Amino acid sequence: MDYMFELYEQVKDDMKFFIASDVRAKILISLRSGSKNLADLRKEIHLSSSTILHGMNQLEQKNFIFRESGNYSLSQTGEVVANKLIDVMRSFYSLNLCEGLFLNHDISCIPPELFKDIGCLEKSFIVKSTSTNIMRPQEVLSEFQSKSKNFKQLTSVYNPSSIQIFLETLEKDGNVQLIMTEGIIDKLIENAGKDKLEKWINDGQLQLMKIDEDVKISLTTGDNFIALGLFSADGAYDLNISLISHGEEAISWGNRLFDHYFQQATQVKMDALEIHDEILA
C-alpha cells in the first residue's frame, strides 16, 4: 500500500493538470478525432480564441499536442492521455448511472478486470419497480427477450417467465446457453421434461452448464441486449432493480462476464439429467 501512496505523490500534479482545467480537457477530447485549426476548435468547444490558445500553450509545453501549418494535433503521448481521459469520464458516468444497482448490493460476483471496463455500460438504463408496478423490471426484460432468438443466461435465481421464453425459443429452433446452479436446473427439468432437454442438447440448440458456487447474480444476454440483476447485501435477490442496455460495448461486456463463469462451469451430462429427473419424481 505504501507504494501506491508513493505513486500518487509522483503523478498527482499530472492528474491535477487535467482535472483543474475544462479547457485543456476539452481540447484533448476534440483533437482525439483528428487535427483541427483554431476556428474548428472554437466552433466545437465553444470557447474564445484567447482561452483556447492559452490552453494550447500549456498542452504544447507538456508535449501533448503539436502545431503544423496552422493545424493542431495530438502527439503520440497526447493520444494515450486523451484515450485515458475519455475512459475515466465514461467510467464515472457509468458508476453514477449504476449507483442504485451497485450501492448496497453484492458486487463481488463481478471480476475486477470487468470493473476496470465499467465505462462499457455507459449506454445503459436502470429499471426500477414502482408503487403501481412492482414487476416493471421483469416486464422490460421480457420485452427485450421477445425480440431475440439467441440467449445466454447466468443465474442462481428461478424466473418462471424467463424459463418460459427460453423454452419457446428452443421450440422455434433458437439457441440458448444456460449456466445455472443445481436447484435451478432441477426447476428447468421440471418445466421442460428430460426428453426435450436431451433432444435440444443433442441437436446443438441448448448448452446447459452447472455452476457449483452460489452465484450472486442474474445475467441475461440476447441478440441486442444485456440485463443485469444483483443480490442485496443481505443475501436476497433484488427483484426491484435491474440494468438493461442495448449498446454494443455493453453487450460485449456482458458476454465477457458470461464467459468468465462459463470457464468455471461444468457441462450437464445425460446421466445427470436422469438423476435429477428421478429426484423430482
Side-chain angles (χ1 to χ4, degrees):
M1 185 60 70
D2 288 343
Y3 167 74
M4 297 306 298
F5 291 130
E6 292 174 7
L7 185 62
Y8 171 76
E9 291 298 327
Q10 292 289 325
V11 301
K12 65 180 182 181
D13 290 337
D14 292 318
M15 292 193 297
K16 290 176 182 178
F17 181 77
F18 300 105
I19 296 172
S21 172
D22 291 344
V23 178
R24 294 191 290 264
K26 288 180 178 180
I27 291 171
L28 285 173
I29 293 168
S30 176
L31 293 181
R32 182 173 175 264
S33 61
S35 62
K36 295 180 174 69
N37 59 32
L38 182 59
D40 293 332
L41 287 165
R42 189 172 60 244
K43 181 179 179 180
E44 188 164 286
I45 63 180
H46 307 291
L47 294 170
S48 67
S49 296
S50 59
T51 300
I52 294 172
L53 287 171
H54 180 67
M56 289 288 215
N57 289 334
Q58 293 172 319
L59 289 168
E60 280 187 287
Q61 292 173 14
K62 288 277 192 178
N63 295 317
F64 290 147
I65 66 170
F66 63 90
R67 179 172 51 185
E68 185 176 13
S69 302
N71 287 323
Y72 296 89
S73 303
L74 294 175
S75 67
Q76 291 88 341
T77 305
E79 287 186 23
V80 174
V81 170
N83 285 327
K84 280 295 180 185
L85 178 61
I86 289 172
D87 184 50
V88 170
M89 287 165 42
R90 295 177 66 206
S91 295
F92 273 111
Y93 181 86
S94 296
L95 285 171
N96 289 335
L97 175 72
C98 301
E99 182 181 18
L101 179 66
F102 292 152
L103 192 64
N104 299 322
H105 287 78
D106 187 346
I107 61 172
S108 62
C109 53
I110 302 176
E113 60 268 23
L114 283 174
F115 262 121
K116 289 180 182 178
D117 294 334
I118 202 70
C120 291
L121 300 180
E122 64 175 326
K123 294 182 180 179
S124 305
F125 58 94
I126 297 296
V127 184
K128 295 182 179 180
S129 298
T130 67
S131 58
T132 57
N133 187 358
I134 61 172
M135 297 302 295
R136 185 167 179 266
Q138 181 54 51
E139 289 175 357
V140 174
L141 172 58
S142 296
E143 183 180 344
F144 274 87
Q145 286 179 316
S146 67
K147 300 174 184 177
S148 187
K149 295 181 179 179
N150 303 281
F151 294 103
K152 297 178 182 178
Q153 187 176 70
L154 160 70
T155 189
S156 59
V157 178
Y158 176 62
N159 185 328
S161 59
S162 284
I163 293 254
Q164 185 59 38
I165 288 174
F166 295 153
L167 297 179
E168 291 172 359
T169 299
L170 290 164
E171 293 281 7
K172 297 175 183 177
D173 298 326
N175 292 284
V176 177
Q177 289 180 277
L178 300 174
I179 303 175
M180 296 174 158
T181 53
E182 186 171 344
I184 308 304
I185 292 174
D186 287 342
K187 295 295 290 184
L188 175 65
I189 298 169
E190 184 180 7
N191 277 270
K194 177 176 68 68
D195 291 342
K196 279 189 175 182
L197 292 177
E198 284 181 345
K199 179 182 182 301
W200 287 326
I201 290 173
N202 291 334
D203 291 346
Q205 288 179 253
L206 173 63
Q207 191 166 21
L208 184 57
M209 309 289 288
K210 183 177 77 171
I211 191 86
D212 291 328
E213 63 177 292
D214 190 15
V215 180
K216 299 295 186 182
I217 191 171
S218 181
L219 170 73
T220 305
T221 74
D223 294 328
N224 59 354
F225 78 95
I226 68 162
L228 177 66
L230 295 174
F231 281 68
S232 299
D234 61 8
Y237 183 71
D238 190 349
L239 292 167
N240 299 310
I241 184 170
S242 65
L243 173 144
I244 293 182
S245 177
H246 49 73
E248 290 184 9
E249 287 187 271
I251 294 171
S252 176
W253 186 92
N255 285 326
R256 286 165 57 196
L257 179 56
F258 182 89
D259 291 343
H260 170 81
Y261 283 97
F262 187 89
Q263 299 301 319
Q264 304 174 29
T266 56
Q267 189 168 2
V268 175
K269 304 292 186 181
M270 294 303 101
D271 57 348
L273 286 178
E274 290 173 3
I275 292 170
H276 292 164
D277 204 35
E278 291 170 4
I279 292 172
L280 287 168

